Amino acid sequence: QVQLVESGGGLVQPGGSLRLSCAASGRSIGSINVMHWYRQAPGEQRELIATSISGGNTNYADSVKGRFTISRDNAKNMVYLQMNSLKPEDTAVYYCSAEIFPHLYFGQGTQVTVSS
């Protein structure tokens, strides 16, 4: 089992940047093969946007590819999502997730609002 706490959300203007953080406890993220970032906009389903696989591989949804970067710091037990060139359609609650078979663990989420 793992506990996840996201932070770093807020209000940002279009074209701006934010870095989201996910603090893990209860288990070392170095032992977790797959970590994700999801997001959920109002009235929409939760969407998988970024995946980090231990060993360095990453995957991104087309909607964020080239703008968002997922990374891990195993020493700090943290996962990050660097978000650049933000657009109004990126407005959503963002969730960190740990895939520990057969379960998918989520944090409580952090709100990101992109608006002028």
Side-chain angles (χ1 to χ4, degrees):
Q1 194 171 5
V2 63
Q3 292 77 46
L4 304 169
V5 178
E6 301 92 337
S7 62
L11 174 64
V12 62
Q13 292 188 340
S17 297
L18 279 176
R19 188 178 80 155
L20 305 184
S21 298
C22 172
S25 61
R27 182 161 175 166
S28 167
I29 63 165
S31 70
I32 302 174
N33 191 40
V34 182
M35 297 290 301
H36 305 287
W37 282 96
Y38 285 77
R39 68 184 181 188
Q40 188 167 18
E44 302 288 335
Q45 290 189 337
R46 194 169 292 188
E47 173 191 18
L48 174 62
I49 57 169
T51 297
S52 167
I53 302 170
S54 61
N57 288 340
T58 56
N59 290 300
Y60 299 94
D62 287 344
S63 57
V64 306
K65 196 173 294 182
R67 300 187 298 123
F68 291 10
T69 303
I70 186 172
S71 62
R72 305 188 188 204
D73 186 332
N74 288 347
K76 295 182 178 179
N77 225 31
M78 299 285 290
V79 181
Y80 303 100
L81 185 69
Q82 178 67 43
M83 305 187 297
N84 299 326
S85 302
L86 283 162
K87 306 174 181 179
E89 52 264 42
D90 294 319
T91 295
V93 178
Y94 284 71
Y95 299 90
C96 177
S97 174
E99 191 174 308
I100 303 173
F101 184 84
H103 302 293
L104 196 59
Y105 295 90
F106 288 92
Q108 84 291 346
T110 185
Q111 176 70 47
V112 172
T113 301
V114 184
S115 175
S116 55

